[in-house]
Amino acid sequence: MNRITKFLLVGAVLALAALLAIPAIAQEEGTGGVIIEASFGGDPGSLNPLLISGATDRDLAGFMFPGLLGTDPSTASIVQRSEAAPEFQGGYLVDSWEVNEDGTSITFTMREDYVWSDGVPVTTADVAYAWEAISRATELGLDVQAVFITEFVDSVEIVDDFTFTVNYKQANCQALAYASSLGGPLAPSHALGPVESLNDSTFNLAPSVTGGPFGFGELRAGEQTSLIANTTYPDGDVLPAGYILRNVPDSTVLVEQFLAGETSVINGPAVSRRADLRAYADEGNATVYSYPGNSWDYFAMNFADPNNPQNAFDADGNRIDQGNHPIFGDPRVRRAAALAVDVESIIGAAVFGEGDRMSSFIIPSSWAYANDLPMLPFDAEAGAALLEEAGWVDDDNDPSTPRVAQGAMYAEDGTPLSFTLFTNEGNARREAIATIFQDQLQQIGFQVNFQTIDFNVLLDIMDSQTFDAFILGWRNGYPDDPDVTQILTGAGDVIASGSNNASYYNERFDELNRLANTPSETDGCTVEGRRPYYVEMQEIFQEDLPYVPLFTVAGMYAAQSNVSGFSPYPSQLYWNVNTWAVNTP
Amino acid sequence: MVKYTLRRLLQAIPTFFGITLLTYMLMLAAPGDPVSLLTFGPSTTQAQRDALAAKLGVNDPAVIQYLRWLTGDDWMRRDTDGDGLSDQCIILACDADGDGVNEQPGDRRGIIRGDFGRSFTKPRNVVDMILERVPATFELGFISLAVGVLVGVPIGILAAVRRGSWFDSVTRIGAVVFSSIPIFWLGLILILLFGRVLFPDVSPNPFMMGGQCPPVLVGGCPPIQGRLVYLVLPVFVLASQGVAVFSRYMRASMLDVMQQDYMRTAYSKGLSGRTTWFKHGARNALIPIATFLGPSITGVLGGAVLTETIFSWPGLGRLGFESVVQQDFPVVMAFVIIGSLATILGYLLSDILYALIDPRIRFN
């Protein structure tokens, strides 16, 4: 045996010995084991409820701190604890509330039995602290995210240790949601120090006092955050010994880790791998739960002149003439585009069938969804006929060249039916949608110059309102509210600021939106009171077509078969996490 | 040598500031706006966007932004009456967002005083974010580099002395293959192979699919000998390219050396082939390797974006990439500083190594 062979052999033996010496994944002691989840959301930026921003922050803070207002996951609506079903009474603080006569203030009563992990009672002092941080955030340069509620909330008055009143600038059906943002979740004021130094508190990434089912364990940057069961949790025993959120930035690896049993649960796996997960579940290895998603994609068309962008209203509230887009200013052209696109085929190609069609701007799972409103049909011939009617003619009978204007409403004769379509780079789903759009619109005589561009650049173009059309999406909040003031009314049509970038304006639509958010017009903001307005708005939307609504991306959760207690609701995976157990096989 | 090193370091100072100025201006010239990115969504008002822009200082002229990053703003906006708001302002306006209320006094000291600022996207100090990623990057980078050199160099020597043999052919093909395979593909294939295909019935799987340490609730990351299994796949992926490159360089260098007169002299003195190759040949053939070992070491500092992403390795590369995408200027600039310093020091190290190894080179 020569020296090289000996060297290789010794090396191989050492490597094998090292592998054998590796301890298996440590399984913590505890009746419910450790829940391990992986996510590509990155490290938490902060675990202080007042400073949380991204989804990772929100999820982790939600485990560690109580919410101010609770949600019934079976109806996805904010509930008074005193009226909630017993299984939905845990983890939040407000027992009941009363709205004043004109709807401009709400008095909340908190439960008196909730304590932080150090035994200090949760009181209105914590709410007062949160309001001080929110209302002084701009002045003090604090990184508080809920600062937007200062546009709507006028003041917060403390009545006693367990009662407080929120005064609003005007009555609005979002009032409860804004109050919820005061403590969504709530932070322990006694552990935070002066508001002025909130940005630099050591609490932010290592909270010493918590109040949810878990307390803070440790944060290993770029790798994982661990939480430990809170033995003093006021709303029952916490079965799991802890929860670990692994940081896995690749969506393929995320699924592979679950399939290999390295993680207990997976949330929102890539649509391209869901069939694998279902097959894995069919073999008895996991439980899969699918639900209608709350993020949706759309094709937006600019109504206004992109060469001379204007706000919808001037400073005095007078309507400004925004001109008309030469192509999409004509409603017949917008309808032709909508008819030419086979959304079902897009769902199949872009999200592997994991989507639900939308008929308008309301997601199908919403209480406001107009069930009787038909989907826009796929009828390319009708679309071509509409283009003819609108003065866009095929003058050379060559399908490879675009139609040209001949008596079109807003375009000079001879103008080609050509526009630029943007979507954000790196989003495979939207790139697939846009490619199909390009192909199908070309079938009826459009010429689509499709460009994928960096999201930052797209935002600039959208904000400046200089585009023809783009494909993008919205993710609705939870609980979902159908309010579209900022995205589809004149109030949101502000250059460089608003989200109604397509400059859609319909006076009746705006009025209905206002009524739907007014307590006095909606029987105190009941579903029954608000729904009729939204149904009519959806009909108007489908007539005007500021967007071609496409589909929601279905949600999915899966848990290994050894996880008990897994019984999610749409967008609510962990509502009962304290009763989960990861059983040793 | 000390004089030479000091002179090179002094010469590097203007280079360093030139790099930071150029990068800062390029970054500002890039399309997009961090405020739009941070406030995208229907719930933010224009006033809140303006306040955020004023807080981040992104609406100031480019030169002022650079100056503030470099020297801080605690001298630009001061609070002399103790009311918590600025009242003595140089260069910067006291009321930057025009809302009638003066801004907070400046509290940044600038990078020349060791303050890298706060991240735009996370409410954290940049230095903390960088420092917590450095150990993982060093660990993966240096082990991969060591494996690359320690395996690649002997392979190169053997391939040269057995030129034309099956060993030479196999290693040549291997080098071409491993330097051509995309890292992300190799990583995913290894994960699939070792994670699920090879050990379907072994629980827990002997090869972990990602991360640097076992998932435990508390206790931190164990010492390296307790988690070697986490290194196997990412080190293989990174080192395979190093092995390919170093082996080909070493082979070429060795072949060149073997044609030299002193090698013929060694043979004619009656020395054995092995002694001649390793004692006389390899030592001289290593000299050119030193020229790119320096930059390779500094390359480790930048992290390996793709490998770190595929294997969920908590290193600097991932952080840097995410920061560029999110236009997190303070973090990006911290990376530029690290990269600039590493490059400057890497080339200096390379020159010093060259002079130390090759007696024909003298410091002047």
Side-chain angles (χ1 to χ4, degrees), chain A residues 494-517:
Chain A
V494 182
I495 291 169
S497 168
S499 297
N500 180 7
N501 311 102
S503 295
Y504 171 55
Y505 180 72
N506 179 308
E507 197 173 349
R508 175 66 182 158
F509 187 93
D510 272 28
E511 175 64 4
L512 289 167
N513 183 67
R514 189 190 66 77
L515 293 171
N517 283 294

Side-chain angles (χ1 to χ4, degrees), chain A residues 126-214:
Chain A
D126 301 310
V127 179
Y129 185 94
W131 174 243
E132 187 185 0
I134 292 167
S135 58
R136 296 184 67 198
T138 305
E139 169 204 341
L140 298 174
L142 302 177
D143 298 317
V144 172
Q145 297 296 311
V147 66
F148 72 93
I149 69 168
T150 56
E151 291 293 311
F152 312 98
V153 175
D154 188 52
S155 63
V156 175
E157 289 172 29
I158 304 302
V159 179
D160 60 37
D161 278 354
F162 299 101
T163 314
F164 65 96
T165 301
V166 178
N167 300 310
Y168 298 89
K169 292 179 178 171
Q170 63 181 46
N172 191 296
C173 287
Q174 315 295 314
L176 282 176
Y178 299 141
S180 181
S181 294
L182 276 171
L186 195 64
S189 57
H190 66 286
L192 288 173
V195 164
E196 289 80 357
S197 56
L198 198 60
N199 275 356
D200 301 312
S201 172
T202 53
F203 182 96
N204 296 346
L205 280 176
S208 50
V209 178
T210 58
F214 296 104

Side-chain angles (χ1 to χ4, degrees), chain A residues 23 118 136 149 177 247 285 299 319 327 367 428 530 562:
Chain A
D118 59 357
R136 296 184 67 198
I149 69 168
N247 189 338
N285 298 311
F299 168 72
R319 186 91 171 94
I327 294 175
W367 52 261
R530 299 179 73 192
N562 65 333

Side-chain angles (χ1 to χ4, degrees), chain A residues 26 43 139-140 143 148 200 205 218 220-224 226 246-247 249 256 260 262 456 459-460 486 496-497, chain B residues 32 37 40 42 46 48-49 55 104 118 122-124 133 196 209 211-217 219-220 314 318:
Chain A
D43 283 339
E139 169 204 341
L140 298 174
D143 298 317
F148 72 93
D200 301 312
L205 280 176
E218 64 181 23
R220 295 206 304 248
E223 188 163 28
Q224 70 162 50
S226 65
R246 302 278 284 174
N247 189 338
E256 290 299 332
E262 287 188 16
N456 297 312
L459 284 183
D460 265 2
Q486 286 301 318
S497 168
Chain B
L37 200 62
F40 177 64
Q46 185 59 40
Q48 286 159 358
R49 285 187 184 200
K55 181 180 154 192
Q104 293 250 296
R118 285 172 76 80
K122 294 185 188 294
R124 301 192 61 198
R133 300 292 189 108
R196 284 212 288 143
M209 288 192 186
Q212 185 193 16
C213 316
V216 290
L217 289 177
R318 253 171 67 195

